[in-house]
Amino acid sequence: MDKQLRRSVSDKMVAGVCSGLGNYLGIDPVVVRLVWALATLFSMGTGILVYIVAWIVIPEE
């Protein structure tokens, strides 16, 4: 079975982007959320824009 990047429907905080990415990479979604939050802080909010784009581009499960 092919591994596909999909937004999670069951394990989501906002849109399921981080949990879908965590499932795709095989790591805990909490780690992805923490890294994303830190990247957003250090990039002065650019992570929010990237999250919104990912929300639109990545399909749901």
Side-chain angles (χ1 to χ4, degrees):
M1 185 172 176
D2 288 331
K3 194 174 179 183
Q4 294 182 339
L5 178 58
R6 301 269 185 201
R7 289 186 292 123
S8 177
V9 180
S10 59
D11 181 27
K12 64 182 184 177
M13 304 271 308
V14 177
V17 173
C18 291
S19 58
L21 191 59
N23 292 335
Y24 180 76
L25 296 174
I27 59 176
D28 190 3
V30 174
V31 173
V32 177
R33 289 180 184 121
L34 288 173
V35 169
W36 201 299
L38 289 173
T40 299
L41 288 174
F42 288 117
S43 67
M44 294 191 227
T46 305
I48 295 171
L49 180 62
V50 173
Y51 190 91
I52 292 170
V53 169
W55 187 351
I56 294 167
V57 173
I58 301 172
E60 274 189 342
E61 318 183 284

